[in-house]
Amino acid sequence: MTEDVNSGFRYTQLDGLPIYQFEPWTNQPHLVHVILTRHGGVSRPPYATLNLSRAVGDEPSAVECNHARVYSALGIQSTQVAQCHLVHGRTIRRVTAQEAGQWLGQADGLITAQPGVMLSMRFADCIPILLHSPQRRAVGLVHAGWRGTLQNVAGAAVRAMVEELGCDANDITALIGPSIGPCCYEVGPETVRKVTMALPEIAALLLRDSGRRTYLDLWQANYQQLLSAGVGHVLNMALCTACHRDLFFSHRGDNGRTGRFGVIIGYRTHNDDGTTDI
Ligand SMILES: [Zn+2]
């Protein structure tokens, strides 16, 4: 088990869209994965420009145009994309090929081993966790804010990949994507109390006092939870959205009025003759 902070990730362009990718995964045949930024779309401030959320007050036509740009750049269809309403819980949904292209109700984790299904979520400070099991060719995507972290949503997603998809937890690599870091995530006494109650064994690791302010390290919490769930390899990009508002939407950093950037992961379908359908 190793932790590599900020290594192995590359910042590049995909058909005009700035993206982050995890270098080792770009060599995995048919695996699609992308961490988008706030750039490359058509939305106007405060959603400028690649906002993918339909629920933050942005112009609907701009959001649809942004989605179309992303799918075109990735070479995927909207009918392949599985999305859910993020509610800060610990519900994990297994997505079948028949369900792709649909809204899947409320969940904060999506998993699949079906080629052709693209898991998609939107973020602005909460933690994106990308999961990949190369042996099983299975993927997962998790949305973890502080409420989800206290419920161990990351561990729930790993367990679902093991129990429902037949993955070996040790074969899974997890990426902790751009999200609010311990540098910026100040929390109040009520959150401190809840963290201390829910995660007593690691609370001391997570809370950093700086004079009269307390900061919560959600990266460390999720890192520990992923390791405890048996994940073989966890990598933290250690890229703070509030520190990098030039690159990402940040709910805290932008005072609540902002967009959401996208994260997508899935396997393309693959024909036996070596061609790829989609
Ligand atoms: Zn920061």
Short mmCIF file of all heavy atoms in Angstrom, two decimals, residues 179-185 219 239-244, ligand 1:
data_model
loop_
_atom_site.label_atom_id
_atom_site.label_comp_id
_atom_site.label_asym_id
_atom_site.label_seq_id
_atom_site.Cartn_x
_atom_site.Cartn_y
_atom_site.Cartn_z
N SER A 179 -10.68 18.75 -4.44
CA SER A 179 -11.70 18.99 -3.43
C SER A 179 -11.11 19.90 -2.35
O SER A 179 -9.89 20.13 -2.34
CB SER A 179 -12.16 17.66 -2.82
OG SER A 179 -11.05 16.81 -2.59
N ILE A 180 -11.95 20.35 -1.44
CA ILE A 180 -11.45 21.33 -0.47
C ILE A 180 -10.47 20.65 0.51
O ILE A 180 -10.77 19.58 1.05
CB ILE A 180 -12.61 22.04 0.25
CG1 ILE A 180 -12.10 23.28 0.97
CG2 ILE A 180 -13.35 21.10 1.18
CD1 ILE A 180 -13.19 24.30 1.28
N GLY A 181 -9.32 21.26 0.68
CA GLY A 181 -8.26 20.64 1.47
C GLY A 181 -8.25 21.13 2.91
O GLY A 181 -8.98 22.06 3.28
N PRO A 182 -7.39 20.51 3.72
CA PRO A 182 -7.28 20.90 5.13
C PRO A 182 -6.73 22.32 5.29
O PRO A 182 -6.86 22.90 6.36
CB PRO A 182 -6.30 19.87 5.71
CG PRO A 182 -5.58 19.31 4.53
CD PRO A 182 -6.49 19.41 3.36
N CYS A 183 -6.20 22.87 4.21
CA CYS A 183 -5.72 24.26 4.23
C CYS A 183 -6.88 25.24 4.32
O CYS A 183 -6.74 26.34 4.87
CB CYS A 183 -4.93 24.53 2.95
SG CYS A 183 -5.69 23.79 1.47
N CYS A 184 -8.04 24.86 3.79
CA CYS A 184 -9.16 25.80 3.62
C CYS A 184 -10.46 25.38 4.28
O CYS A 184 -11.38 26.19 4.38
CB CYS A 184 -9.44 26.01 2.14
SG CYS A 184 -8.10 26.82 1.26
N TYR A 185 -10.57 24.10 4.70
CA TYR A 185 -11.88 23.63 5.15
C TYR A 185 -12.07 23.90 6.64
O TYR A 185 -11.95 23.02 7.49
CB TYR A 185 -12.06 22.16 4.82
CG TYR A 185 -13.51 21.72 4.94
CD1 TYR A 185 -14.54 22.59 4.58
CD2 TYR A 185 -13.84 20.48 5.42
CE1 TYR A 185 -15.86 22.21 4.70
CE2 TYR A 185 -15.16 20.08 5.55
CZ TYR A 185 -16.16 20.96 5.19
OH TYR A 185 -17.48 20.59 5.31
N TRP A 219 -9.48 14.73 3.24
CA TRP A 219 -8.61 13.86 2.42
C TRP A 219 -8.09 12.71 3.28
O TRP A 219 -8.14 11.54 2.90
CB TRP A 219 -7.42 14.65 1.87
CG TRP A 219 -7.76 15.69 0.85
CD1 TRP A 219 -8.92 15.78 0.13
CD2 TRP A 219 -6.93 16.78 0.42
NE1 TRP A 219 -8.85 16.85 -0.72
CE2 TRP A 219 -7.65 17.48 -0.56
CE3 TRP A 219 -5.65 17.22 0.77
CZ2 TRP A 219 -7.12 18.61 -1.20
CZ3 TRP A 219 -5.13 18.34 0.14
CH2 TRP A 219 -5.85 19.03 -0.83
N LEU A 239 -5.15 18.37 -4.38
CA LEU A 239 -5.41 19.59 -5.14
C LEU A 239 -6.65 20.25 -4.55
O LEU A 239 -7.76 19.73 -4.67
CB LEU A 239 -5.65 19.20 -6.61
CG LEU A 239 -5.54 20.25 -7.69
CD1 LEU A 239 -4.24 21.04 -7.58
CD2 LEU A 239 -5.61 19.57 -9.06
N CYS A 240 -6.45 21.39 -3.88
CA CYS A 240 -7.54 22.04 -3.16
C CYS A 240 -8.34 22.96 -4.09
O CYS A 240 -7.78 23.86 -4.72
CB CYS A 240 -6.99 22.83 -1.98
SG CYS A 240 -8.24 23.83 -1.15
N THR A 241 -9.65 22.72 -4.13
CA THR A 241 -10.51 23.51 -5.01
C THR A 241 -10.60 24.97 -4.56
O THR A 241 -10.68 25.87 -5.40
CB THR A 241 -11.92 22.89 -5.07
OG1 THR A 241 -12.29 22.47 -3.74
CG2 THR A 241 -11.95 21.69 -5.98
N ALA A 242 -10.57 25.21 -3.25
CA ALA A 242 -10.66 26.60 -2.77
C ALA A 242 -9.37 27.36 -3.03
O ALA A 242 -9.39 28.58 -3.24
CB ALA A 242 -11.00 26.61 -1.27
N CYS A 243 -8.24 26.66 -3.02
CA CYS A 243 -6.96 27.29 -3.36
C CYS A 243 -6.81 27.49 -4.86
O CYS A 243 -6.01 28.32 -5.29
CB CYS A 243 -5.78 26.42 -2.91
SG CYS A 243 -5.48 26.40 -1.14
N HIS A 244 -7.55 26.70 -5.65
CA HIS A 244 -7.39 26.74 -7.11
C HIS A 244 -8.70 27.09 -7.79
O HIS A 244 -9.18 26.36 -8.66
CB HIS A 244 -6.86 25.39 -7.62
CG HIS A 244 -5.48 25.07 -7.13
ND1 HIS A 244 -5.25 24.40 -5.96
CD2 HIS A 244 -4.26 25.36 -7.64
CE1 HIS A 244 -3.94 24.28 -5.77
NE2 HIS A 244 -3.32 24.85 -6.77
ZN ZN B 1 -6.89 25.20 0.16
#
